[in-house]
Amino acid sequence: MKRLTSLLIIALTAATATMAATVERPKLVVGIVVDQMRWDYLYYYRPLVGDNGLNRLLDQGFSVEDTKINYTPTVTAIGHASVYTGSVPAFHGILGNDFYIGNRETYCCGDSTVSGVGSTGKAGQMSPRNLQASTIGDELHLATDFKSKVVGIALKDRAAILPAGHSADAAYWYDKNAKAFITSSFYMKELPQWVSDFNNAHRNDIDGSPLLSPKGVKLTFQMAEAALKNMELGQHDVTDLLAISISSTDAIAHDYGLRDPLTKESYMELDRQIEAFLNILDNTVGKGEYLLFLTADHGGAFNYNDLASHRIPAGAWQSWSDRKRLNDHLRQRFPEAGDRDLMLGENMGRIYLNHDNIAAAGLELSTVKQEMMDFLIKDERFQHVVDYKHVADATLPQPLREQICNGYHPMRSGDIFVVPRPQVVITFDSPTFRGTSHGLWNPYDAHIPFLLYGWHIPHGATTKPAAITDIAATICSLLHIQAPNACIGKAVEITPDK
């Protein structure tokens, strides 16, 4: 009897110790990245929306009010990569939506070694292989011995693929030709039946591209709800991750501007869908059982024509059309180049010189580079023109120097970086253009929301400066998992209102 009692005591002690040693985590992490959502939209739309969507996150969650992007340029692919890696282009290797590797122009997620699943076109030839760092989802997989489920969903391929990471169970994006959500052979051989069923049910919901309709916001959340249900996310004994990105808000604003009724309607729809999705999470995963964060990949600038009409200095640089002008100048300056192009290309202020053609012409790279810089700085639209190799020596304000350095990757960034003056945006240069753009270091492009809500998150706010790279560090700290392998961020201190 004494022996049996002793065994029972040992068993109970062991069980108690096991329970005490359990790592407490939420059942589900939901990340929402709203493409081109400026931080001030939280307050611009606050009186215009209801109490149970965006305002529920503000009124019951925690807001990191001064979150800024700590690199330049500020574009979609980089932003999504940085949110989930906690890193910057210098480390994670995503230099833009498009960039050059050697002399080859590269789409951030383009991968000719894979094929589309659910699509026969190039829209399916995508993967995260150009991403050189791990993500929150990758680290969650490692922490749970790959028992967690990780999935990314967006209309844009890059907005689904880069957040989901390398080891994701799935990433789904929209193919406008197939009028369906698709994936690639990087993830699976065929679409699950539930995805096919979803596509068949919603194929004719939207006339034209969902990217240019507020209905695209609803369609994205509907797909996320389908994934939540059919993949049973948040329904087992380890934490899952659902990365949702809302792409229509960006595409609409690019064409119509920040204050157009269609842009406003896209945010009204966002608010309605967040309210509905929070209710779904409450009823399926459980209130207080999920951790949700909302942020943006970048902001957006007011239309320069509208600003000028109010006497605010503004302008535009249609950068992609400058290639011919700049090449013509270099050929005139260096006749030994003959008909060779000495400039390879440009992307969001990055100038790529053609090193092979410069060498073939018998010219020094440094000479051609300096000529290009001297020519560019004469343009009154530009405030700084920087040699990427010598940013540390350039006469620049320290914050800008750091952002340029963080955005520089020696194999993918090119040779020269152009910094337009404030409110000179990289977009169509036309007196009739009414849309917007982004990509610059300035607050209108770099100040983004960062809201936390749900599991173990008190109501409160902080105005302490934070960076986009702190988002992954904060989520991983809350989950008690290692930060992504190139993370440079620091976990935000979350303190309740007193």
Side-chain angles (χ1 to χ4, degrees), residues 45 49 63 66 148 153 217 240 255 259 322 330 337 344 492:
Y45 287 105
V49 299
S63 179
D66 193 21
S148 294
I153 291 171
V217 178
D240 296 324
D255 280 7
R259 293 294 190 256
D322 249 8
L330 291 176
L344 187 65
V492 172

Side-chain angles (χ1 to χ4, degrees), residues 76-97 99 101 106-111 126-139 157-168 186-187 409 412 484-487:
T76 296
I78 306 177
H80 282 83
S82 296
V83 166
Y84 282 88
T85 64
S87 195
V88 292
F91 293 123
H92 63 56
I94 299 298
L95 274 291
N97 299 336
F99 47 92
I101 300 177
T106 301
Y107 178 64
C108 58
C109 293
D111 187 348
M126 303 290 167
S127 84
R129 285 199 173 105
N130 287 323
L131 180 65
Q132 296 180 324
S134 68
T135 62
I136 298 171
D138 293 329
E139 297 300 328
D157 52 72
R158 55 189 178 270
I161 292 168
L162 297 172
H166 301 275
S167 64
F186 180 87
Y187 302 98
H409 187 291
R412 300 182 176 186
N485 58 21
C487 181

Side-chain angles (χ1 to χ4, degrees), residues 464-493:
K464 291 181 180 179
I468 189 172
T469 49
D470 296 336
I471 296 171
T474 302
I475 300 303
C476 289
S477 176
L478 289 168
L479 297 180
H480 301 291
I481 65 175
Q482 186 60 271
N485 58 21
C487 181
I488 64 169
K490 296 180 180 179
V492 172
E493 183 180 356

Side-chain angles (χ1 to χ4, degrees), residues 153-291:
I153 291 171
L155 296 180
K156 292 181 181 179
D157 52 72
R158 55 189 178 270
I161 292 168
L162 297 172
H166 301 275
S167 64
D169 296 271
Y172 298 107
W173 57 93
Y174 194 83
D175 179 355
K176 63 181 180 181
N177 293 321
K179 298 185 72 173
F181 280 93
I182 65 168
T183 188
S184 83
S185 58
F186 180 87
Y187 302 98
M188 61 191 73
K189 293 181 179 179
E190 59 183 20
L191 285 178
Q193 187 60 48
W194 70 265
V195 178
S196 297
D197 292 344
F198 179 90
N199 286 331
N200 291 332
H202 296 277
R203 200 176 303 277
N204 298 312
D205 284 1
I206 300 171
D207 294 328
S209 171
L211 276 173
L212 291 173
S213 171
K215 292 180 180 179
V217 178
K218 182 177 181 179
L219 183 66
T220 305
F221 274 104
Q222 288 175 319
M223 180 61 176
E225 180 186 353
L228 183 76
K229 175 184 176 181
N230 289 281
M231 297 182 70
E232 299 182 334
L233 301 177
Q235 301 298 318
H236 53 126
D237 58 355
V238 293
T239 303
D240 296 324
L241 171 63
L242 175 58
I244 308 168
S245 293
I246 306 303
S247 305
S248 301
T249 45
D250 177 77
I252 291 170
H254 271 297
D255 280 7
Y256 299 100
L258 303 190
R259 293 294 190 256
D260 187 85
L262 199 61
T263 300
K264 290 186 177 182
E265 176 53 30
S266 71
Y267 280 91
M268 298 298 103
E269 187 62 42
L270 173 69
D271 181 68
R272 290 190 287 267
Q273 293 305 315
I274 287 176
E275 176 180 351
F277 199 68
L278 288 173
N279 290 336
I280 290 167
L281 291 172
D282 288 344
N283 292 327
T284 57
V285 181
K287 200 168 186 178
E289 297 291 342
Y290 58 90
L291 170 64

Side-chain angles (χ1 to χ4, degrees), residues 335-478:
E336 56 265 58
D339 60 356
R340 298 183 182 92
D341 282 350
L342 301 185
M343 175 183 166
L344 187 65
E346 180 279 338
N347 188 272
M348 298 307 296
R350 291 193 174 102
I351 304 291
Y352 294 81
L353 296 177
N354 193 316
H355 294 203
D356 292 344
N357 283 355
I358 289 171
L363 296 167
E364 291 291 332
L365 176 62
S366 59
T367 303
V368 177
K369 187 189 297 184
Q370 190 60 54
E371 177 60 35
M372 176 73 87
M373 293 173 63
D374 291 343
F375 181 70
L376 286 166
I377 199 59
K378 293 175 184 177
D379 192 320
E380 64 178 10
R381 294 172 297 179
F382 304 146
Q383 195 160 34
H384 300 283
V385 179
V386 182
D387 181 346
Y388 260 136
K389 291 285 189 182
H390 299 285
V391 176
D393 304 327
T395 305
L396 293 168
Q398 179 54 37
L400 180 58
R401 178 186 289 110
E402 181 178 344
Q403 289 181 30
I404 294 173
C405 286
N406 284 343
Y408 173 66
H409 187 291
M411 304 303 292
R412 300 182 176 186
S413 288
D415 303 279
I416 297 168
F417 189 68
V418 178
V419 182
R421 62 178 172 81
Q423 291 296 165
V424 173
V425 296
I426 301 176
T427 191
F428 296 100
D429 188 0
S430 165
T432 61
F433 182 65
R434 286 292 174 263
T436 186
S437 191
H438 54 83
L440 306 177
W441 67 269
N442 311 74
Y444 44 82
D445 285 352
H447 193 179
I448 56 175
F450 176 25
L451 297 175
L452 291 151
Y453 175 85
W455 182 82
H456 288 193
I457 301 298
H459 172 56
T462 180
T463 57
K464 291 181 180 179
I468 189 172
T469 49
D470 296 336
I471 296 171
T474 302
I475 300 303
C476 289
S477 176
L478 289 168

